[in-house]
Amino acid sequence: MDYQSLGASSQKEDVHAAIKDSGSGGGLFPGAFCKVIPDMLTGDDESCLIFHADGAGTKSIIAYLRWRESGDPAVFQGISQDALVMNIDDIACTGLVDSFIVSNTIGRNKFLVDANVIAAVIRGYETMAAMLEPHGIHVHSCGGETADVGDLVRTIIIDSTVMSRGKRSDIIDASNVVPGDVMVGLSSTGQASYEPMANSGISSNGITLARHAVLEHGYAETYPEILDPHVDASMAYQGRFHLDDPLPGEDMTIADALLSPTRTYTPILKRLLYGDDASTRIQDVVHGIIHVTGGGQTKCLNFGKGIRYVKDDLFETPRVFRLIKEEGNVEWEEMYRVFNMGHRMEIACTPDFAPKVIAASKSFGVEAKVIGRVEESTNPGKNELVISSPAGEISYGP
Amino acid sequence: MDYQSLGASSQKEDVHAAIKDSGSGGGLFPGAFCKVIPDMLTGDDESCLIFHADGAGTKSIIAYLRWRESGDPAVFQGISQDALVMNIDDIACTGLVDSFIVSNTIGRNKFLVDANVIAAVIRGYETMAAMLEPHGIHVHSCGGETADVGDLVRTIIIDSTVMSRGKRSDIIDASNVVPGDVMVGLSSTGQASYEPMANSGISSNGITLARHAVLEHGYAETYPEILDPHVDASMAYQGRFHLDDPLPGEDMTIADALLSPTRTYTPILKRLLYGDDASTRIQDVVHGIIHVTGGGQTKCLNFGKGIRYVKDDLFETPRVFRLIKEEGNVEWEEMYRVFNMGHRMEIACTPDFAPKVIAASKSFGVEAKVIGRVEESTNPGKNELVISSPAGEISYGP
């Protein structure tokens, strides 16, 4: 099974090619993790803005199934967290981690999705705001739009757009990753001190592959609205699992595993970047922060120039990803392209600073370790990546 | 044929009820057309923000059909205009009409929609920005997100989120509408001097009803992806028209009529609100500006208190709406609830000021006239509306 054949894409090459001549790229720091734009709202030359859109993708389909089977719409609160964190953790990679203004956009099929679901989605944003507030991270939920568009949307699609403003001097510009740096990974599993329960590590990427590999076909028969008829029938929901089945080897169900809300690392990044009154300028030691989302562990290939990323000590592959790999017969090479595989945030920093990164993460109960290092590329000017997988070394790019 | 049975809603009563206890309402000016929030980005007490989300709804389905039949993706540029104007013209109703920062969110079915369409959507935003720039209206298109979510989205859904910042003292608060005001309507048809062609008046509301009433069933057979199977078969695409057929009585095709991009009134509102160096404070004469969108001509019921809106001299019903009414057997009462019916922007102002509003509109080639007046409600504390339709008086609310 592979991601492209299922109508999803981890790299969106065609879209990037189509829009490459538009004004969408660039910004003040073209190599930064997010596009950073001038502060057009105030005109202040020392400030900047990030305006960011993302969503929960097809994870809402699993929540929809869970809701239909259990009758409890609260499961959609996790989907709000997914949609929110896909934005705020991207923005946090640039060093802006103080205040986020959020608008949500929901498209629903009114024949299938009632207003209790919409209410749960809204509550989810408010719950996240309350969770982050004690850590000095202000999430302002400003409403949004719910459209009834059943001829467009089979069930429900949930997106967020987030605005943040900060000082240009605070920006972490991932183009500054240099040979000699180490890569510190922050675990996507376990339970952070600010989280109410343990996380499978799944996040919001690769869910199309996860759904079709793990969930049994009966779901598509009972709920045909969860399937694009253009997906090859031999791949559509070809798994062996019910949502209530246990995730083998873990104390959670398949539903828990696939619906674990995307962890936010913002409390950790805030403490790391702004917690110290050290004389060190943070950009002198933290050269890049990479959110392992679309593109999975290969996301780093987009940052720095002439870099060879060597990831030779990844976390053990979390159970949920092992299950997806086994059930979907997914190649390791594809798994690392699609999923975070154990850490969803990575920090390229000087070797001396790595212990501070690890300590900041562990102070919130999130495992962290040096998972690799940065070398000079063997292919001048191009980035490359080598991952030590359980099946041996895998090379990516250029 | 009616809107609810087709899975759409002009009022979204259930959603409003579900979220009424959430933090989404209110803001600094609870009676204003849009939610106005404190300037949390700078903390400046004299400034405010509007953060607004909306989209082109199911109008993208008609563009999809046109593209599939013609092969030309450029038709999607109009859809970007729809998604953008649904935001900026809402914001302009509060008096903020200077600068808009835009992020777009696209969900597509990758099996059906290729990257040329995405490129056309992006170009559409840039075209609009270029069109408005000479009028002192700055639209900053900041990229966005394209998600491949075929299991969620049948074809393509296009949404925008827009941020604007301004002075609190510039806000037009529609709660200030008072008996004695007149209502000036700005035509939704014809060709504004800043537009490249004539507009049918359709905008982006009521498109679900328009599609099913006007377009022939063969489209749903050839392109089953344009139809929610939950729509009653007796109502699904039950029209008599091909996209290439002429709109009876007009020099445009059905495709042109249904795909006319939503007109922006921002150049007119900018000239009206900021063009004069008069000593009059604009809020003393302009009491409310209402964008006739979801809820159609009944939208005004949401603004002011104890108001009776009397609309007794509307523009002649544009051809495209007459066609929808006739083909769909839609009641007049429903037509005014769903469509703009001839003017998509209305200004409640003092009688003395009405000629200035009309002159500002006409200076851009957009017809305008007094379409009604504001009286005291016969139902104290509640708003009501009387429309003089071709079939006689129709009353709405409370």
Side-chain angles (χ1 to χ4, degrees):
Chain A
M1 202 173 273
D2 69 288
Y3 210 47
Q4 296 275 348
S5 318
L6 290 164
S9 48
S10 57
Q11 323 282 330
K12 289 186 268 197
E13 299 85 349
D14 67 333
V15 171
H16 289 299
I19 65 176
K20 75 175 172 0
D21 295 327
S22 83
S24 308
L28 293 173
F29 301 89
F33 189 81
C34 293
K35 184 174 177 180
V36 180
I37 57 177
D39 181 2
M40 297 174 281
L41 291 172
T42 71
D44 176 8
D45 282 347
E46 296 186 358
S47 301
C48 58
L49 302 175
I50 295 179
F51 200 21
H52 198 278
D54 210 334
T58 68
K59 200 164 173 177
S60 61
I61 293 175
I62 307 177
Y64 173 81
L65 287 176
R66 191 79 184 130
W67 167 61
R68 288 296 298 268
E69 302 244 300
S70 73
D72 183 0
V75 65
F76 277 96
Q77 294 194 40
I79 301 296
S80 311
Q81 177 167 338
D82 295 316
L84 181 65
V85 173
M86 290 298 285
N87 286 288
I88 67 174
D89 278 46
D90 268 15
I91 296 173
C93 288
T94 65
L96 302 191
V97 67
D98 189 48
S99 179
F100 302 101
I101 305 188
V102 183
S103 172
N104 64 76
T105 302
I106 302 170
R108 72 163 169 167
N109 188 318
K110 199 185 173 191
F111 290 116
L112 298 174
V113 174
D114 68 30
N116 293 318
V117 168
I118 309 302
V121 171
I122 306 293
R123 264 197 308 277
Y125 287 110
E126 292 168 356
T127 303
M128 272 300 279
M131 183 180 111
L132 291 173
E133 189 67 31
H135 302 288
I137 297 163
H138 311 290
V139 174
H140 308 282
S141 185
C142 296
E145 170 73 2
T146 298
D148 294 331
V149 286
D151 285 338
L152 279 180
V153 173
R154 302 180 204 279
T155 51
I156 181 168
I157 187 166
I158 297 168
D159 291 302
S160 293
T161 304
V162 177
M163 172 73 84
S164 192
R165 177 177 183 264
K167 285 189 267 181
R168 295 186 190 186
S169 58
D170 282 341
I171 294 293
I172 307 282
D173 180 347
S175 69
N176 294 326
V177 173
V178 285
D181 285 345
V182 295
M183 300 295 286
V184 178
L186 312 189
S187 172
S188 54
T189 66
Q191 181 176 353
S193 58
Y194 48 84
E195 291 172 337
M197 67 187 73
N199 200 301
S200 71
I202 186 81
S203 83
S204 308
N205 292 99
I207 302 296
T208 295
L209 188 46
R211 279 184 294 112
H212 289 295
V214 171
L215 296 182
E216 65 142 48
H217 197 70
Y219 285 114
E221 282 161 15
T222 309
Y223 306 102
E225 61 269 25
I226 65 169
L227 177 62
D228 178 1
H230 299 87
V231 172
D232 188 311
S234 71
M235 293 193 292
Y237 296 99
Q238 288 299 315
R240 299 183 299 144
F241 291 85
H242 284 266
L243 289 172
D244 287 330
D245 289 341
L247 173 66
E250 293 275 347
D251 185 24
M252 55 173 72
T253 64
I254 293 292
D256 295 337
L258 296 183
L259 285 170
S260 269
T262 308
R263 163 173 296 163
T264 179
Y265 295 93
T266 49
I268 297 168
L269 293 176
K270 174 131 191 174
R271 184 171 289 177
L272 179 69
L273 301 176
Y274 299 97
D276 243 13
D277 56 351
S279 53
T280 322
R281 192 171 161 269
I282 195 75
Q283 289 90 339
D284 292 341
V285 287
V286 171
H287 296 150
I289 306 178
I290 295 167
H291 190 194
V292 178
T293 53
Q297 284 296 336
T298 73
K299 187 92 172 179
C300 57
L301 283 166
N302 300 326
F303 303 97
K305 197 169 176 191
I307 297 292
R308 176 182 175 86
Y309 290 95
V310 179
K311 297 185 178 178
D312 57 3
D313 193 21
L314 295 179
F315 285 94
E316 191 184 350
T317 307
R319 292 265 184 190
V320 69
F321 299 127
R322 281 151 64 190
L323 183 79
I324 294 165
K325 175 175 169 28
E326 286 156 20
E327 298 297 316
N329 282 315
V330 187
E331 298 293 330
W332 282 107
E333 193 272 351
E334 173 89 343
M335 289 298 293
Y336 289 106
R337 263 192 209 285
V338 175
F339 297 102
N340 71 67
M341 299 298 275
H343 73 270
R344 215 189 76 244
M345 191 62 77
E346 59 191 17
I347 289 125
C349 63
T350 59
D352 287 354
F353 194 69
K356 286 211 171 175
V357 178
I358 293 167
S361 190
K362 288 187 171 174
S363 74
F364 287 102
V366 173
E367 276 304 310
K369 65 172 185 170
V370 173
I371 55 91
R373 61 188 183 277
V374 178
E375 299 180 349
E376 250 180 69
S377 176
T378 60
N379 208 315
K382 308 274 188 186
N383 290 349
E384 53 191 15
L385 163 67
V386 182
I387 289 176
S388 299
S389 85
E393 275 196 2
I394 307 174
S395 297
Y396 298 86
Chain B
M1 201 174 272
D2 70 287
Y3 210 46
Q4 296 276 347
S5 317
L6 291 165
S9 50
S10 57
Q11 323 282 331
K12 290 186 266 194
E13 299 86 349
D14 66 332
V15 171
H16 290 299
I19 66 174
K20 74 175 171 2
D21 295 327
S22 82
S24 309
L28 293 172
F29 301 89
F33 189 82
C34 293
K35 183 174 178 180
V36 180
I37 58 177
D39 180 2
M40 296 173 283
L41 291 172
T42 71
D44 177 8
D45 282 347
E46 295 186 358
S47 301
C48 57
L49 302 175
I50 295 180
F51 200 20
H52 198 278
D54 210 334
T58 68
K59 200 164 173 178
S60 61
I61 292 174
I62 307 176
Y64 173 80
L65 287 176
R66 192 78 184 130
W67 167 61
R68 287 296 298 268
E69 303 244 300
S70 73
D72 183 0
V75 64
F76 277 96
Q77 292 195 40
I79 300 297
S80 310
Q81 177 168 340
D82 295 315
L84 182 65
V85 173
M86 291 298 284
N87 285 288
I88 67 175
D89 278 46
D90 267 16
I91 295 173
C93 288
T94 65
L96 302 190
V97 68
D98 188 49
S99 178
F100 302 102
I101 306 187
V102 182
S103 173
N104 64 76
T105 301
I106 302 170
R108 72 162 169 168
N109 188 318
K110 198 184 173 190
F111 290 116
L112 298 174
V113 175
D114 69 30
N116 293 319
V117 168
I118 309 302
V121 171
I122 305 294
R123 263 198 308 277
Y125 287 109
E126 292 168 355
T127 302
M128 273 298 279
M131 183 179 111
L132 291 173
E133 190 66 31
H135 303 288
I137 298 163
H138 311 291
V139 174
H140 308 283
S141 186
C142 297
E145 169 73 4
T146 298
D148 294 330
V149 288
D151 286 337
L152 279 179
V153 173
R154 302 180 204 280
T155 51
I156 181 167
I157 186 165
I158 297 168
D159 291 303
S160 293
T161 304
V162 177
M163 173 72 85
S164 192
R165 177 176 183 266
K167 284 189 267 180
R168 295 185 190 187
S169 57
D170 282 341
I171 294 293
I172 307 281
D173 181 347
S175 68
N176 295 326
V177 174
V178 285
D181 285 345
V182 296
M183 301 294 288
V184 178
L186 312 190
S187 172
S188 54
T189 65
Q191 180 176 355
S193 57
Y194 48 84
E195 291 172 336
M197 66 187 74
N199 200 301
S200 70
I202 186 81
S203 83
S204 309
N205 292 100
I207 301 297
T208 294
L209 187 46
R211 279 184 294 114
H212 290 296
V214 171
L215 297 182
E216 66 143 48
H217 197 70
Y219 285 115
E221 282 159 15
T222 310
Y223 307 101
E225 61 269 25
I226 65 169
L227 177 61
D228 178 1
H230 299 88
V231 172
D232 188 310
S234 73
M235 293 193 292
Y237 296 99
Q238 289 298 317
R240 298 183 299 145
F241 291 85
H242 284 266
L243 289 172
D244 287 330
D245 288 342
L247 173 66
E250 292 276 348
D251 185 25
M252 56 173 72
T253 63
I254 293 291
D256 294 338
L258 296 183
L259 285 170
S260 269
T262 308
R263 163 174 296 163
T264 179
Y265 296 93
T266 49
I268 298 168
L269 293 176
K270 173 129 192 178
R271 185 170 291 177
L272 179 69
L273 301 176
Y274 299 96
D276 242 13
D277 57 350
S279 52
T280 321
R281 193 171 159 268
I282 195 76
Q283 289 91 338
D284 291 340
V285 287
V286 171
H287 295 150
I289 306 178
I290 295 167
H291 190 194
V292 178
T293 54
Q297 284 296 337
T298 74
K299 186 92 174 181
C300 56
L301 283 166
N302 300 327
F303 303 98
K305 197 171 175 188
I307 297 293
R308 175 181 175 86
Y309 290 96
V310 179
K311 297 185 178 178
D312 57 3
D313 193 20
L314 294 180
F315 285 94
E316 190 184 353
T317 307
R319 293 265 184 189
V320 68
F321 300 127
R322 281 151 63 188
L323 182 79
I324 294 164
K325 176 174 169 29
E326 286 156 22
E327 298 297 316
N329 281 314
V330 186
E331 299 293 330
W332 283 107
E333 193 271 352
E334 173 89 343
M335 289 297 295
Y336 290 106
R337 264 192 208 284
V338 174
F339 297 103
N340 71 67
M341 300 297 275
H343 73 269
R344 215 189 76 242
M345 191 61 78
E346 59 191 16
I347 288 127
C349 62
T350 58
D352 287 354
F353 195 69
K356 287 211 170 172
V357 178
I358 293 166
S361 190
K362 288 187 172 174
S363 74
F364 289 101
V366 174
E367 275 304 309
K369 66 172 184 169
V370 173
I371 56 89
R373 62 189 183 277
V374 179
E375 300 180 349
E376 249 180 71
S377 177
T378 60
N379 206 316
K382 308 273 190 187
N383 290 349
E384 53 191 16
L385 163 67
V386 182
I387 290 177
S388 299
S389 85
E393 274 197 1
I394 307 174
S395 297
Y396 297 86

